[in-house]
Amino acid sequence: MARLMRGVVRSVGRLGYALVERVGIAGDGVEVEVEIPVRVLREAGLGLREGVEVVFEVAREAGSIDEWSVVMQGEVYLKKEGESAVYASLGGLQLVVKSPKIYNEFNVGDKVYFKLAPA
């Protein structure tokens, strides 16, 4: 069920209340918005900005994590059928995945892993 996907960073914006970046990625028929602490991005050496190509994965199991720059784990807390959107909390940080093909793979309460690396 894990899917390695290629995408392009569409947006990067700092949250006003924390040292966290909200990163928008689109690719392979999937749109992702994920909140990642600035410190994590810095330590991973990821200089994310619009137009940067990345690889990412959304999965129910951790699998291999060695080749990834960022790995985050959380729990699905909401699904919005009309948007084909899955919402998850990654330790208080939000992950939103919009994709009809991924929507049906997750249920509320499922664990979710988000992995990110440069392309």
Side-chain angles (χ1 to χ4, degrees):
M1 168 158 93
R3 301 174 196 262
L4 176 68
M5 295 171 272
R6 296 185 76 77
V8 175
V9 175
R10 295 291 184 207
S11 63
V12 179
R14 176 88 39 104
L15 298 182
Y17 56 87
L19 293 175
V20 173
E21 297 279 355
R22 179 176 289 136
V23 181
I25 302 167
D28 288 346
V30 178
E31 291 180 33
V32 171
E33 276 196 2
V34 61
E35 296 173 351
I36 305 173
V38 172
R39 181 177 178 177
V40 170
L41 291 171
R42 239 186 271 132
E43 288 176 7
L46 284 175
L48 297 181
R49 61 188 183 288
E50 290 182 28
V52 169
E53 292 185 16
V54 294
V55 290
F56 63 100
E57 185 175 276
V58 178
R60 287 178 50 177
E61 296 187 15
S64 175
I65 61 172
D66 294 337
E67 65 275 11
W68 297 97
S69 300
V70 174
V71 178
M72 302 172 77
Q73 183 262 326
E75 184 175 311
V76 174
Y77 67 86
L78 176 67
K79 290 177 66 174
K80 289 190 177 179
E81 187 174 357
E83 301 174 16
S84 295
V86 175
Y87 290 75
S89 175
L90 308 173
L93 301 170
Q94 188 173 54
L95 168 69
V96 181
V97 182
K98 295 182 180 180
S99 166
K101 58 186 171 183
I102 291 178
Y103 178 83
N104 292 320
E105 295 180 6
F106 287 94
N107 295 306
V108 171
D110 285 350
K111 284 194 183 227
V112 61
Y113 292 85
F114 177 76
K115 303 172 190 177
L116 180 68

